[in-house]
Amino acid sequence: MKLISSQSTRRMLEGVAEFGPTTRGDASGIARTRVAYARAGAPVGTMPPTEQSAAIEAALDKLGARLQFERSGTRLYEALVSKVDAYGTFRGGPTRDDLIDIRNDEHHHALLAQELIRALGGDPTMLTPCANLHATASRGLCDVLTDPRTTLVEGLDAIIVAELVDRESWDQLVTSLAAASVPEQLLNQVKAALEKEEEHLRLVRTWIAAARATRAGADT
Ligand SMILES: [Fe+2]
Ligand SMILES: [Fe+2]
């Protein structure tokens, strides 16, 4: 094993000598280019002009992001169910039904976001700037979860990233909708979704802790 490692190290060092830097510049050159592009560039997206107030428009932007993220979350949990089907679970880990329950919550939240966008006079088929940003930021999660080599525990390590974002984003949405003075009944639906997301985060944390305990037990 040590022999393979030293051979690999030697090859890596040969590679460094063979494929040296293609420029004499350093990171400051990249930074200067970034700043120049940022100053000259346009925003990543804008909301289409509407008759709505700025506060409603801001809430619609965030709702667009929730719709996109919850739809993806539904698929992420379906991929996680496949991990249980492929590898089984572990002591203290999620059952298939636990994951299906959360999958159904995510789906319900996507439908809720869609309904709220319509209720505020928006178009649920529109990709809002915030939705675009979140889709880009979370792109790697799908790669981890749909990779057939990743285990259930590795899938949970990825999905907790989604749940942290989810909890934070529903929280921000409550603030955004309250600022837009939406009807109490709509706000309560969003608060109920936030409570569900807090529960998801708590469950995923518990499962990751159980996996760590199982691994520690196996090592002793
Ligand atoms: Fe969610
Ligand atoms: Fe969630």
Side-chain angles (χ1 to χ4, degrees):
M1 201 66 183
K2 196 174 173 207
L3 182 68
I4 292 170
S5 173
S6 63
Q7 279 176 348
S8 302
T9 306
R10 186 169 46 77
R11 280 201 208 115
M12 278 176 69
L13 291 173
E14 283 169 6
V16 171
E18 190 178 345
F19 306 105
T22 54
T23 171
R24 292 186 185 280
D26 59 17
S28 63
I30 298 170
R32 272 197 302 278
T33 307
R34 268 199 302 262
V35 171
Y37 271 88
R39 284 181 180 156
V44 284
T46 52
M47 293 288 284
T50 64
E51 303 290 299
Q52 315 287 3
S53 67
I56 295 273
E57 213 169 84
L60 281 170
D61 188 16
K62 291 215 174 299
L63 271 167
R66 294 320 326 126
L67 173 56
Q68 179 282 127
F69 202 88
E70 299 298 311
R71 200 172 39 211
S72 303
T74 307
R75 301 293 179 224
L76 292 182
Y77 273 95
E78 285 170 0
L80 203 53
V81 168
S82 298
K83 300 293 177 198
V84 173
D85 290 346
Y87 302 111
T89 190
F90 50 88
R91 187 198 295 262
T95 63
R96 195 177 196 280
D97 285 348
D98 288 333
L99 298 177
I100 295 279
D101 282 348
I102 301 185
R103 181 250 172 236
N104 292 343
D105 285 344
E106 305 294 357
H107 184 225
H108 170 70
H109 291 167
L111 296 177
L112 172 64
Q114 187 173 295
E115 192 186 313
L116 293 174
I117 290 169
R118 286 209 183 98
L120 296 182
D123 174 4
T125 66
M126 192 187 73
L127 181 71
T128 70
C130 192
N132 188 22
L133 190 131
H134 276 226
T136 306
S138 60
R139 213 159 41 194
L141 297 177
C142 190
D143 293 349
V144 172
L145 280 149
T146 55
D147 187 325
R149 297 167 302 174
T150 56
T151 65
L152 173 61
V153 178
E154 287 164 339
L156 288 168
D157 273 338
I159 215 138
I160 198 163
V161 176
E163 290 297 3
L164 284 162
V165 172
D166 236 359
R167 197 274 313 267
E168 184 64 24
S169 301
W170 281 97
D171 196 33
Q172 285 182 20
L173 186 60
V174 169
T175 310
S176 195
L177 289 171
S181 308
V182 299
E184 193 69 20
Q185 175 255 341
L186 293 187
L187 195 58
N188 286 342
Q189 285 179 279
V190 174
K191 285 180 180 170
L194 172 60
E195 274 176 32
K196 278 283 177 196
E197 294 302 350
E198 281 169 346
E199 189 187 323
H200 296 171
L201 184 57
R202 187 183 55 74
L203 283 168
V204 175
R205 277 183 174 145
T206 307
W207 294 328
I208 290 174
R212 202 178 306 126
T214 304
R215 211 176 308 149
D219 289 345
T220 53

